[in-house]
Amino acid sequence: MVLNKKGSRRITVDGIEYRWRIRRRPSYMQGLCWTPMTYAVEAASGSQPGTPLIVTSGQAHPSNWVGVETEPIRPAHVAASIREARDQGWDPTRVGSPFQLDRSAGFIAQP
């Protein structure tokens, strides 16, 4: 999987450059606030795509359809997620299935 460069943001964590992106439109489940927002991260350098990181945040998508207010995902949150995933064994340079990181503790689905 390769992140679309359009709409992605760059971040440098511990000297390594990454790109991250939040899906512009929520999925059906995210739009109804039944599941939390996710975002993807990948290494920005290298000619071969590596293993992407999929982070499940603990908040609703900002474009949800039910009007639930949400906090924006800040670069500090992304950096902390990258460090946590690296500690759990994520290697962004190795090819493989997406690495899932669940940071959704405390998310309450809306009825």
Side-chain angles (χ1 to χ4, degrees):
M1 179 177 129
V2 177
L3 282 181
N4 189 355
K5 289 184 182 181
K6 185 175 182 178
S8 67
R9 298 183 64 187
R10 288 187 174 272
I11 186 169
T12 302
V13 178
D14 301 330
I16 301 171
E17 199 165 341
Y18 300 92
R19 278 198 319 260
W20 64 282
R21 186 172 193 270
I22 296 173
R23 184 178 168 155
R24 288 191 192 276
R25 290 183 173 173
S27 67
Y28 182 79
M29 300 288 277
Q30 291 171 348
L32 293 173
C33 294
W34 292 346
T35 59
M37 175 177 53
T38 60
Y39 59 90
V41 181
E42 72 176 7
S45 61
S47 59
Q48 293 279 356
T51 303
L53 169 64
I54 307 299
V55 180
T56 303
S57 71
Q59 55 197 7
H61 195 285
S63 297
N64 68 71
W65 308 324
V66 293
V68 172
E69 290 195 30
T70 183
E71 292 287 321
I73 296 291
R74 302 197 188 282
H77 185 275
V78 176
S81 298
I82 290 170
R83 287 186 182 105
E84 184 178 340
R86 296 292 305 254
D87 289 344
Q88 292 182 17
W90 175 54
D91 183 1
T93 60
R94 194 176 38 182
V95 177
S97 299
F99 187 91
Q100 303 285 331
L101 179 66
D102 189 355
R103 299 188 82 193
S104 65
F107 179 78
I108 300 172
Q110 301 297 313

